[in-house]
Amino acid sequence: MQTRELGTSGIQITPIITGTWQAGKSMWVGIEDAETIKALRAAFEAGITTVDTAEVYGQGHSERVVAEALSDVRDRAVYMTKVFANHLKYDQVIAACEGSLKNLKTDYIDLYQIHWPAGAFNTEIVPIAETLSALNDLKQQGKIRAIGVSNFSRAQIEEAAQYARIDSLQPPYNLFWRHVETDAMPYCVEHQISILAYSPLAQGLLTGKFGTDKTFPPEDVRSKNKLFHSENYARAQQALDQLRPIAERYHTSLGNLALAWLLAQPQTHAIVGVRSAEQAVDNARAATVQLSPEDLAAIDAIGRSVTDHLPDANPVMWNFS
């Protein structure tokens, strides 16, 4: 799989990135470690050598699963992880990084990201300068190679960029959720900041596998996803019906069509979660789908039939409260 540069860091990452939120098990159902490890390994062997995790995913469980799956190929893998919003004071960042290094069984992290801005989820407000002072020191020590942010607005990225080189933004971004396009993306493109899109399949909605009457139990995070609710869900189903003929023309799945559209956006990579080895191998195929300008435009218009009806005040894709 052809790689791309992460920001201006010199680190080469794959356009498809394996996501591991579900590997932490918290907020997900039906996840087994053995299957996750097989899936992570299958993704790597299919060419997806970049993996994204976080300390908060199962309180380190996801990071430990990544280590179990990939430690023997660490020299060929790119590890991305994140420090949570409750650990943004200088000493907390240092300690969190040490914890992630231990969980991942490595002596360096390729990309270390601020998971949510200070204050998110009622956490303490910490000046961004303090947090980035710690990250700059970790980078100087060789414990991290690049610094990124996640769930930051354009204004927050601009502030962060005053104190450190920011090489990536990780926002929720998919054909049905596109807030980043009007907020942070123009700044990221101008300043060579890679966009690492999470939930690129809208937690499975864009695969077309859920019927019109699908519901999720309260413990499943998708029950809180705004796209799965009422009129939004109905519009999404109508859009999927319009996308199916395009996918058929390219002899690909709905999910890979949505991923191919996303990878065609400026500086954008897709972080795709996996539950099985079969899914991992299928995800890799999305990188080979080359859409024509006409079909990119058609897919864009179909996506807007959903996004044009979404409120743009809150960029978070879930009702967590």
Side-chain angles (χ1 to χ4, degrees):
M1 187 177 298
Q2 190 170 5
T3 58
R4 307 169 176 179
E5 185 176 8
L6 173 68
T8 61
S9 69
I11 300 168
Q12 292 294 312
I13 62 174
T14 46
I16 302 284
I17 298 165
T18 300
T20 63
W21 182 8
Q22 74 289 345
K25 296 185 177 180
S26 177
M27 302 179 78
W28 293 82
V29 295
I31 304 295
E32 298 294 337
D33 288 351
E35 289 303 308
T36 301
I37 290 165
K38 288 179 185 176
L40 289 170
R41 194 64 185 214
F44 180 87
E45 290 171 358
I48 306 173
T49 55
T50 309
V51 60
D52 180 78
T53 183
E55 64 165 350
V56 78
Y57 297 163
Q59 302 304 311
H61 186 75
S62 174
E63 291 178 326
R64 291 188 288 272
V65 168
V66 168
E68 188 167 349
L70 300 177
S71 282
D72 65 318
V73 290
R74 173 67 184 102
D75 60 325
R76 292 182 283 142
V78 174
Y79 283 3
M80 303 174 169
T81 192
K82 301 181 276 296
V83 56
F84 200 61
N86 60 342
H87 290 155
L88 297 183
K89 289 185 175 181
Y90 184 96
D91 290 344
Q92 293 172 331
V93 173
I94 301 300
C97 183
E98 292 295 344
S100 289
L101 287 167
K102 182 178 179 181
N103 287 336
L104 288 165
K105 297 182 180 177
T106 185
D107 55 5
Y108 69 96
I109 292 163
D110 295 283
L111 176 67
Y112 201 41
Q113 305 155 93
I114 302 173
H115 202 155
W116 289 86
F121 304 102
N122 298 311
T123 53
E124 183 179 353
I125 300 293
V126 178
I128 190 68
E130 178 178 348
T131 303
L132 288 170
S133 174
L135 292 174
N136 281 329
D137 285 351
L138 288 166
K139 189 175 179 181
Q140 189 173 16
Q141 294 162 16
K143 292 183 178 179
I144 67 176
R145 297 178 65 198
I147 297 168
V149 296
S150 179
N151 298 297
F152 272 44
S153 66
R154 174 176 180 146
Q156 289 167 328
I157 301 169
E158 288 178 332
E159 183 183 7
Q162 296 176 38
Y163 304 101
R165 168 59 199 174
I166 306 300
D167 276 310
S168 66
L169 167 68
Q170 187 174 145
Y173 184 25
N174 58 63
L175 185 60
F176 291 165
W177 195 270
R178 299 165 65 172
H179 183 274
V180 71
E181 291 181 347
T182 54
D183 178 48
M185 179 179 272
Y187 180 85
C188 290
V189 171
E190 181 183 355
H191 294 276
Q192 292 180 267
I193 297 171
S194 294
I195 296 169
L196 313 178
Y198 74 79
S199 291
L201 295 174
Q203 296 194 294
L205 179 57
L206 277 158
T207 66
K209 65 183 178 182
F210 302 129
T212 55
D213 57 351
K214 177 67 177 178
T215 59
F216 295 93
E219 64 271 20
D220 191 312
V221 70
R222 285 170 290 195
S223 67
K224 301 174 177 64
N225 190 316
K226 297 170 188 176
L227 289 172
F228 284 88
H229 290 178
S230 59
E231 293 88 353
N232 294 340
Y233 191 69
R235 290 190 190 98
Q237 293 297 328
Q238 292 168 4
L240 289 168
D241 286 341
Q242 296 175 63
L243 290 168
R244 283 189 175 90
I246 303 176
E248 288 170 4
R249 282 209 310 276
Y250 283 89
H251 305 287
T252 193
S253 63
L254 273 175
N256 279 356
L257 184 77
L259 291 176
W261 173 85
L262 196 62
L263 296 180
Q265 306 313 304
Q267 293 175 197
T268 300
H269 304 246
I271 301 174
V272 192
V274 288
R275 285 174 177 257
S276 69
E278 292 77 17
Q279 276 185 339
V281 172
D282 188 54
N283 290 343
R285 295 190 185 108
T288 66
V289 179
Q290 298 296 315
L291 300 170
S292 70
E294 295 78 14
D295 284 327
L296 283 169
I299 294 166
D300 179 273
I302 294 167
R304 292 188 187 282
S305 71
V306 177
T307 59
D308 284 353
H309 296 277
L310 296 171
D312 57 8
N314 188 341
V316 180
M317 204 161 62
W318 298 270
N319 289 312
F320 282 131
S321 57

